[in-house]
Amino acid sequence: MKAVTWQGKRDVRVEQVPDPKIEQPTDAIIEVTSTNICGSDLHYYAHGGFGAVRLREPMILGHEASGTVVEV
């Protein structure tokens, strides 16, 4: 699948990443139908983190999404 990945300060790419899989009993796989970015994503892009939070690259961005549950 394709995902937007944060590679470092001001370095965001669309890349092919492995398909998700169920690893824990509480996991679910969602087919995303729409998504958005939020202020946190903009801080990651511009500054490499958010306050005291620093990221390890690459990291898949996005946590503002909706979709359909396809596997639990």
mmCIF file of all heavy atoms in Angstrom, residues 24-66:
data_model
loop_
_atom_site.group_PDB
_atom_site.id
_atom_site.type_symbol
_atom_site.label_atom_id
_atom_site.label_comp_id
_atom_site.label_asym_id
_atom_site.label_seq_id
_atom_site.Cartn_x
_atom_site.Cartn_y
_atom_site.Cartn_z
ATOM 1 N N GLN A 24 -2.058 -8.250 17.211
ATOM 2 C CA GLN A 24 -2.568 -8.360 18.578
ATOM 3 C C GLN A 24 -4.076 -8.596 18.519
ATOM 4 O O GLN A 24 -4.733 -8.174 17.563
ATOM 5 C CB GLN A 24 -2.282 -7.072 19.372
ATOM 6 C CG GLN A 24 -0.824 -6.691 19.454
ATOM 7 C CD GLN A 24 -0.017 -7.665 20.283
ATOM 8 O OE1 GLN A 24 -0.497 -8.204 21.266
ATOM 9 N NE2 GLN A 24 1.215 -7.908 19.866
ATOM 10 N N PRO A 25 -4.661 -9.198 19.556
ATOM 11 C CA PRO A 25 -6.109 -9.434 19.556
ATOM 12 C C PRO A 25 -6.935 -8.153 19.480
ATOM 13 O O PRO A 25 -8.093 -8.192 19.074
ATOM 14 C CB PRO A 25 -6.362 -10.152 20.878
ATOM 15 C CG PRO A 25 -5.042 -10.663 21.326
ATOM 16 C CD PRO A 25 -3.995 -9.783 20.703
ATOM 17 N N THR A 26 -6.352 -7.032 19.832
ATOM 18 C CA THR A 26 -7.078 -5.754 19.806
ATOM 19 C C THR A 26 -6.887 -4.987 18.498
ATOM 20 O O THR A 26 -7.405 -3.890 18.351
ATOM 21 C CB THR A 26 -6.624 -4.866 20.979
ATOM 22 O OG1 THR A 26 -5.202 -4.727 20.917
ATOM 23 C CG2 THR A 26 -7.021 -5.488 22.316
ATOM 24 N N ASP A 27 -6.147 -5.539 17.534
ATOM 25 C CA ASP A 27 -5.875 -4.869 16.263
ATOM 26 C C ASP A 27 -7.084 -4.924 15.332
ATOM 27 O O ASP A 27 -7.905 -5.842 15.410
ATOM 28 C CB ASP A 27 -4.693 -5.515 15.546
ATOM 29 C CG ASP A 27 -3.365 -5.226 16.206
ATOM 30 O OD1 ASP A 27 -3.323 -4.376 17.118
ATOM 31 O OD2 ASP A 27 -2.370 -5.863 15.813
ATOM 32 N N ALA A 28 -7.154 -3.958 14.446
ATOM 33 C CA ALA A 28 -8.141 -3.933 13.373
ATOM 34 C C ALA A 28 -7.470 -3.331 12.143
ATOM 35 O O ALA A 28 -6.605 -2.467 12.253
ATOM 36 C CB ALA A 28 -9.360 -3.103 13.764
ATOM 37 N N ILE A 29 -7.870 -3.790 10.974
ATOM 38 C CA ILE A 29 -7.392 -3.213 9.724
ATOM 39 C C ILE A 29 -8.542 -2.419 9.125
ATOM 40 O O ILE A 29 -9.658 -2.922 8.997
ATOM 41 C CB ILE A 29 -6.890 -4.299 8.761
ATOM 42 C CG1 ILE A 29 -5.668 -4.992 9.387
ATOM 43 C CG2 ILE A 29 -6.546 -3.698 7.395
ATOM 44 C CD1 ILE A 29 -5.110 -6.127 8.580
ATOM 45 N N ILE A 30 -8.250 -1.172 8.791
ATOM 46 C CA ILE A 30 -9.243 -0.246 8.266
ATOM 47 C C ILE A 30 -8.904 0.101 6.821
ATOM 48 O O ILE A 30 -7.758 0.445 6.518
ATOM 49 C CB ILE A 30 -9.257 1.072 9.089
ATOM 50 C CG1 ILE A 30 -9.350 0.814 10.588
ATOM 51 C CG2 ILE A 30 -10.340 2.021 8.590
ATOM 52 C CD1 ILE A 30 -10.599 0.129 11.030
ATOM 53 N N GLU A 31 -9.877 0.008 5.927
ATOM 54 C CA GLU A 31 -9.720 0.520 4.570
ATOM 55 C C GLU A 31 -10.072 2.001 4.614
ATOM 56 O O GLU A 31 -11.228 2.373 4.807
ATOM 57 C CB GLU A 31 -10.634 -0.217 3.605
ATOM 58 C CG GLU A 31 -10.465 0.251 2.176
ATOM 59 C CD GLU A 31 -11.358 -0.509 1.214
ATOM 60 O OE1 GLU A 31 -11.818 -1.609 1.548
ATOM 61 O OE2 GLU A 31 -11.589 0.025 0.124
ATOM 62 N N VAL A 32 -9.071 2.841 4.512
ATOM 63 C CA VAL A 32 -9.254 4.286 4.662
ATOM 64 C C VAL A 32 -9.980 4.839 3.442
ATOM 65 O O VAL A 32 -9.587 4.594 2.304
ATOM 66 C CB VAL A 32 -7.899 4.988 4.866
ATOM 67 C CG1 VAL A 32 -8.070 6.494 4.907
ATOM 68 C CG2 VAL A 32 -7.232 4.483 6.136
ATOM 69 N N THR A 33 -11.048 5.596 3.709
ATOM 70 C CA THR A 33 -11.813 6.227 2.630
ATOM 71 C C THR A 33 -11.564 7.727 2.562
ATOM 72 O O THR A 33 -11.766 8.342 1.523
ATOM 73 C CB THR A 33 -13.319 5.962 2.798
ATOM 74 O OG1 THR A 33 -13.726 6.404 4.092
ATOM 75 C CG2 THR A 33 -13.623 4.479 2.650
ATOM 76 N N SER A 34 -11.144 8.330 3.673
ATOM 77 C CA SER A 34 -10.768 9.739 3.666
ATOM 78 C C SER A 34 -9.811 9.995 4.812
ATOM 79 O O SER A 34 -9.811 9.285 5.813
ATOM 80 C CB SER A 34 -11.993 10.651 3.780
ATOM 81 O OG SER A 34 -12.677 10.396 4.980
ATOM 82 N N THR A 35 -8.981 10.995 4.630
ATOM 83 C CA THR A 35 -7.996 11.324 5.666
ATOM 84 C C THR A 35 -7.640 12.802 5.560
ATOM 85 O O THR A 35 -8.005 13.475 4.608
ATOM 86 C CB THR A 35 -6.746 10.431 5.544
ATOM 87 O OG1 THR A 35 -5.918 10.635 6.684
ATOM 88 C CG2 THR A 35 -5.966 10.705 4.279
ATOM 89 N N ASN A 36 -6.922 13.278 6.553
ATOM 90 C CA ASN A 36 -6.544 14.683 6.612
ATOM 91 C C ASN A 36 -5.275 14.786 7.441
ATOM 92 O O ASN A 36 -4.880 13.842 8.102
ATOM 93 C CB ASN A 36 -7.679 15.489 7.242
ATOM 94 C CG ASN A 36 -7.618 16.953 6.889
ATOM 95 O OD1 ASN A 36 -6.646 17.449 6.338
ATOM 96 N ND2 ASN A 36 -8.677 17.665 7.217
ATOM 97 N N ILE A 37 -4.642 15.932 7.400
ATOM 98 C CA ILE A 37 -3.517 16.186 8.283
ATOM 99 C C ILE A 37 -3.995 17.098 9.408
ATOM 100 O O ILE A 37 -5.045 17.718 9.314
ATOM 101 C CB ILE A 37 -2.318 16.815 7.548
ATOM 102 C CG1 ILE A 37 -2.700 18.177 6.972
ATOM 103 C CG2 ILE A 37 -1.804 15.880 6.479
ATOM 104 C CD1 ILE A 37 -1.524 18.955 6.425
ATOM 105 N N CYS A 38 -3.227 17.158 10.470
ATOM 106 C CA CYS A 38 -3.577 18.053 11.568
ATOM 107 C C CYS A 38 -2.346 18.873 11.943
ATOM 108 O O CYS A 38 -1.275 18.714 11.368
ATOM 109 C CB CYS A 38 -4.125 17.268 12.758
ATOM 110 S SG CYS A 38 -2.871 16.385 13.680
ATOM 111 N N GLY A 39 -2.493 19.706 12.943
ATOM 112 C CA GLY A 39 -1.400 20.565 13.379
ATOM 113 C C GLY A 39 -0.155 19.800 13.794
ATOM 114 O O GLY A 39 0.966 20.256 13.566
ATOM 115 N N SER A 40 -0.341 18.631 14.411
ATOM 116 C CA SER A 40 0.824 17.815 14.802
ATOM 117 C C SER A 40 1.662 17.464 13.584
ATOM 118 O O SER A 40 2.894 17.551 13.617
ATOM 119 C CB SER A 40 0.371 16.523 15.490
ATOM 120 O OG SER A 40 -0.334 16.801 16.664
ATOM 121 N N ASP A 41 1.003 17.048 12.494
ATOM 122 C CA ASP A 41 1.728 16.694 11.282
ATOM 123 C C ASP A 41 2.530 17.880 10.750
ATOM 124 O O ASP A 41 3.658 17.721 10.281
ATOM 125 C CB ASP A 41 0.759 16.209 10.201
ATOM 126 C CG ASP A 41 0.029 14.934 10.594
ATOM 127 O OD1 ASP A 41 0.648 14.066 11.236
ATOM 128 O OD2 ASP A 41 -1.163 14.819 10.263
ATOM 129 N N LEU A 42 1.965 19.071 10.818
ATOM 130 C CA LEU A 42 2.677 20.261 10.348
ATOM 131 C C LEU A 42 3.900 20.556 11.208
ATOM 132 O O LEU A 42 4.946 20.959 10.698
ATOM 133 C CB LEU A 42 1.739 21.466 10.319
ATOM 134 C CG LEU A 42 0.569 21.351 9.347
ATOM 135 C CD1 LEU A 42 -0.352 22.560 9.493
ATOM 136 C CD2 LEU A 42 1.042 21.191 7.921
ATOM 137 N N HIS A 43 3.799 20.330 12.514
ATOM 138 C CA HIS A 43 4.958 20.510 13.394
ATOM 139 C C HIS A 43 6.040 19.486 13.060
ATOM 140 O O HIS A 43 7.226 19.815 13.035
ATOM 141 C CB HIS A 43 4.556 20.384 14.864
ATOM 142 C CG HIS A 43 3.901 21.609 15.403
ATOM 143 N ND1 HIS A 43 4.606 22.730 15.776
ATOM 144 C CD2 HIS A 43 2.596 21.878 15.633
ATOM 145 C CE1 HIS A 43 3.764 23.651 16.210
ATOM 146 N NE2 HIS A 43 2.539 23.155 16.125
ATOM 147 N N TYR A 44 5.651 18.239 12.825
ATOM 148 C CA TYR A 44 6.634 17.221 12.448
ATOM 149 C C TYR A 44 7.359 17.636 11.179
ATOM 150 O O TYR A 44 8.585 17.559 11.091
ATOM 151 C CB TYR A 44 5.967 15.865 12.219
ATOM 152 C CG TYR A 44 5.230 15.312 13.409
ATOM 153 C CD1 TYR A 44 4.127 14.503 13.230
ATOM 154 C CD2 TYR A 44 5.647 15.574 14.708
ATOM 155 C CE1 TYR A 44 3.437 13.979 14.312
ATOM 156 C CE2 TYR A 44 4.960 15.063 15.797
ATOM 157 C CZ TYR A 44 3.856 14.259 15.591
ATOM 158 O OH TYR A 44 3.185 13.735 16.653
ATOM 159 N N TYR A 45 6.587 18.091 10.186
ATOM 160 C CA TYR A 45 7.177 18.480 8.909
ATOM 161 C C TYR A 45 8.157 19.639 9.080
ATOM 162 O O TYR A 45 9.291 19.589 8.608
ATOM 163 C CB TYR A 45 6.072 18.869 7.921
ATOM 164 C CG TYR A 45 6.601 19.452 6.640
ATOM 165 C CD1 TYR A 45 7.159 18.628 5.674
ATOM 166 C CD2 TYR A 45 6.573 20.820 6.401
ATOM 167 C CE1 TYR A 45 7.669 19.153 4.497
ATOM 168 C CE2 TYR A 45 7.080 21.348 5.230
ATOM 169 C CZ TYR A 45 7.626 20.513 4.279
ATOM 170 O OH TYR A 45 8.138 21.036 3.132
ATOM 171 N N ALA A 46 7.722 20.676 9.752
ATOM 172 C CA ALA A 46 8.524 21.905 9.828
ATOM 173 C C ALA A 46 9.669 21.828 10.831
ATOM 174 O O ALA A 46 10.726 22.408 10.612
ATOM 175 C CB ALA A 46 7.617 23.083 10.179
ATOM 176 N N HIS A 47 9.453 21.105 11.935
ATOM 177 C CA HIS A 47 10.421 21.175 13.036
ATOM 178 C C HIS A 47 11.028 19.830 13.425
ATOM 179 O O HIS A 47 11.909 19.792 14.274
ATOM 180 C CB HIS A 47 9.758 21.786 14.272
ATOM 181 C CG HIS A 47 9.113 23.103 14.000
ATOM 182 N ND1 HIS A 47 9.826 24.240 13.686
ATOM 183 C CD2 HIS A 47 7.814 23.464 13.940
ATOM 184 C CE1 HIS A 47 8.991 25.246 13.477
ATOM 185 N NE2 HIS A 47 7.758 24.804 13.611
ATOM 186 N N GLY A 48 10.522 18.738 12.873
ATOM 187 C CA GLY A 48 11.058 17.424 13.229
ATOM 188 C C GLY A 48 10.521 16.888 14.536
ATOM 189 O O GLY A 48 11.048 15.936 15.089
ATOM 190 N N GLY A 49 9.475 17.492 15.059
ATOM 191 C CA GLY A 49 8.894 17.019 16.308
ATOM 192 C C GLY A 49 7.772 17.930 16.743
ATOM 193 O O GLY A 49 7.380 18.853 16.030
ATOM 194 N N PHE A 50 7.270 17.661 17.907
ATOM 195 C CA PHE A 50 6.164 18.428 18.468
ATOM 196 C C PHE A 50 6.450 18.610 19.948
ATOM 197 O O PHE A 50 6.308 17.671 20.722
ATOM 198 C CB PHE A 50 4.843 17.680 18.239
ATOM 199 C CG PHE A 50 3.625 18.474 18.634
ATOM 200 C CD1 PHE A 50 3.205 19.546 17.867
ATOM 201 C CD2 PHE A 50 2.910 18.150 19.767
ATOM 202 C CE1 PHE A 50 2.082 20.274 18.214
ATOM 203 C CE2 PHE A 50 1.786 18.867 20.126
ATOM 204 C CZ PHE A 50 1.373 19.928 19.352
ATOM 205 N N GLY A 51 6.918 19.804 20.331
ATOM 206 C CA GLY A 51 7.317 20.017 21.723
ATOM 207 C C GLY A 51 8.489 19.113 22.055
ATOM 208 O O GLY A 51 9.492 19.096 21.359
ATOM 209 N N ALA A 52 8.349 18.316 23.106
ATOM 210 C CA ALA A 52 9.416 17.404 23.529
ATOM 211 C C ALA A 52 9.430 16.120 22.711
ATOM 212 O O ALA A 52 10.351 15.329 22.817
ATOM 213 C CB ALA A 52 9.257 17.079 25.009
ATOM 214 N N VAL A 53 8.402 15.902 21.885
ATOM 215 C CA VAL A 53 8.316 14.669 21.094
ATOM 216 C C VAL A 53 9.222 14.783 19.880
ATOM 217 O O VAL A 53 9.116 15.722 19.099
ATOM 218 C CB VAL A 53 6.858 14.414 20.638
ATOM 219 C CG1 VAL A 53 6.800 13.192 19.730
ATOM 220 C CG2 VAL A 53 5.941 14.260 21.829
ATOM 221 N N ARG A 54 10.120 13.841 19.736
ATOM 222 C CA ARG A 54 10.979 13.762 18.562
ATOM 223 C C ARG A 54 10.690 12.443 17.874
ATOM 224 O O ARG A 54 10.466 11.429 18.528
ATOM 225 C CB ARG A 54 12.461 13.850 18.942
ATOM 226 C CG ARG A 54 12.860 15.234 19.438
ATOM 227 C CD ARG A 54 12.780 16.251 18.308
ATOM 228 N NE ARG A 54 12.972 17.599 18.752
ATOM 229 C CZ ARG A 54 12.018 18.526 18.774
ATOM 230 N NH1 ARG A 54 10.807 18.238 18.393
ATOM 231 N NH2 ARG A 54 12.256 19.741 19.177
ATOM 232 N N LEU A 55 10.728 12.444 16.556
ATOM 233 C CA LEU A 55 10.346 11.279 15.779
ATOM 234 C C LEU A 55 11.553 10.513 15.285
ATOM 235 O O LEU A 55 12.640 11.049 15.165
ATOM 236 C CB LEU A 55 9.523 11.730 14.570
ATOM 237 C CG LEU A 55 8.329 12.614 14.872
ATOM 238 C CD1 LEU A 55 7.670 13.047 13.574
ATOM 239 C CD2 LEU A 55 7.341 11.889 15.758
ATOM 240 N N ARG A 56 11.308 9.253 14.999
ATOM 241 C CA ARG A 56 12.325 8.439 14.323
ATOM 242 C C ARG A 56 11.841 8.211 12.902
ATOM 243 O O ARG A 56 10.701 7.845 12.678
ATOM 244 C CB ARG A 56 12.484 7.091 15.025
ATOM 245 C CG ARG A 56 13.265 7.208 16.309
ATOM 246 C CD ARG A 56 13.562 5.851 16.849
ATOM 247 N NE ARG A 56 12.818 5.755 18.105
ATOM 248 C CZ ARG A 56 12.501 4.647 18.705
ATOM 249 N NH1 ARG A 56 12.823 3.494 18.185
ATOM 250 N NH2 ARG A 56 11.845 4.658 19.838
ATOM 251 N N GLU A 57 12.709 8.486 11.954
ATOM 252 C CA GLU A 57 12.303 8.340 10.576
ATOM 253 C C GLU A 57 12.647 6.949 10.057
ATOM 254 O O GLU A 57 13.577 6.345 10.578
ATOM 255 C CB GLU A 57 12.938 9.434 9.714
ATOM 256 C CG GLU A 57 14.435 9.498 9.714
ATOM 257 C CD GLU A 57 15.019 10.241 10.904
ATOM 258 O OE1 GLU A 57 14.453 11.166 11.448
ATOM 259 O OE2 GLU A 57 16.116 9.828 11.278
ATOM 260 N N PRO A 58 11.933 6.440 9.073
ATOM 261 C CA PRO A 58 10.703 6.996 8.536
ATOM 262 C C PRO A 58 9.518 6.700 9.452
ATOM 263 O O PRO A 58 9.508 5.697 10.159
ATOM 264 C CB PRO A 58 10.526 6.282 7.197
ATOM 265 C CG PRO A 58 11.141 4.948 7.427
ATOM 266 C CD PRO A 58 12.297 5.196 8.378
ATOM 267 N N MET A 59 8.528 7.570 9.436
ATOM 268 C CA MET A 59 7.312 7.375 10.204
ATOM 269 C C MET A 59 6.127 7.678 9.302
ATOM 270 O O MET A 59 6.155 8.659 8.565
ATOM 271 C CB MET A 59 7.267 8.314 11.409
ATOM 272 C CG MET A 59 6.034 8.097 12.266
ATOM 273 S SD MET A 59 5.907 9.282 13.624
ATOM 274 C CE MET A 59 4.786 10.458 12.873
ATOM 275 N N ILE A 60 5.119 6.825 9.332
ATOM 276 C CA ILE A 60 3.921 7.069 8.537
ATOM 277 C C ILE A 60 3.095 8.135 9.240
ATOM 278 O O ILE A 60 2.775 8.005 10.422
ATOM 279 C CB ILE A 60 3.113 5.781 8.345
ATOM 280 C CG1 ILE A 60 3.926 4.780 7.525
ATOM 281 C CG2 ILE A 60 1.780 6.084 7.666
ATOM 282 C CD1 ILE A 60 3.278 3.429 7.365
ATOM 283 N N LEU A 61 2.789 9.207 8.518
ATOM 284 C CA LEU A 61 1.974 10.278 9.070
ATOM 285 C C LEU A 61 0.493 9.965 8.908
ATOM 286 O O LEU A 61 0.104 9.176 8.062
ATOM 287 C CB LEU A 61 2.278 11.597 8.363
ATOM 288 C CG LEU A 61 3.645 12.202 8.597
ATOM 289 C CD1 LEU A 61 3.788 13.478 7.780
ATOM 290 C CD2 LEU A 61 3.876 12.487 10.064
ATOM 291 N N GLY A 62 -0.298 10.626 9.705
ATOM 292 C CA GLY A 62 -1.751 10.534 9.554
ATOM 293 C C GLY A 62 -2.411 9.807 10.703
ATOM 294 O O GLY A 62 -2.064 8.671 10.989
ATOM 295 N N HIS A 63 -3.295 10.473 11.369
ATOM 296 C CA HIS A 63 -4.103 9.843 12.411
ATOM 297 C C HIS A 63 -5.501 10.442 12.416
ATOM 298 O O HIS A 63 -6.287 10.207 13.289
ATOM 299 C CB HIS A 63 -3.431 9.963 13.787
ATOM 300 C CG HIS A 63 -3.138 11.387 14.185
ATOM 301 N ND1 HIS A 63 -1.956 11.994 13.860
ATOM 302 C CD2 HIS A 63 -3.876 12.289 14.845
ATOM 303 C CE1 HIS A 63 -1.980 13.232 14.324
ATOM 304 N NE2 HIS A 63 -3.135 13.446 14.926
ATOM 305 N N GLU A 64 -5.799 11.217 11.391
ATOM 306 C CA GLU A 64 -7.134 11.814 11.205
ATOM 307 C C GLU A 64 -7.768 11.117 10.007
ATOM 308 O O GLU A 64 -7.730 11.605 8.892
ATOM 309 C CB GLU A 64 -6.993 13.322 10.928
ATOM 310 C CG GLU A 64 -6.259 14.099 11.990
ATOM 311 C CD GLU A 64 -7.120 14.363 13.208
ATOM 312 O OE1 GLU A 64 -8.358 14.323 13.097
ATOM 313 O OE2 GLU A 64 -6.551 14.605 14.283
ATOM 314 N N ALA A 65 -8.323 9.922 10.228
ATOM 315 C CA ALA A 65 -8.834 9.140 9.105
ATOM 316 C C ALA A 65 -10.178 8.516 9.443
ATOM 317 O O ALA A 65 -10.538 8.372 10.611
ATOM 318 C CB ALA A 65 -7.830 8.041 8.766
ATOM 319 N N SER A 66 -10.895 8.148 8.390
ATOM 320 C CA SER A 66 -12.133 7.361 8.551
ATOM 321 C C SER A 66 -12.153 6.316 7.465
ATOM 322 O O SER A 66 -11.493 6.436 6.434
ATOM 323 C CB SER A 66 -13.373 8.259 8.481
ATOM 324 O OG SER A 66 -13.481 8.830 7.202
#
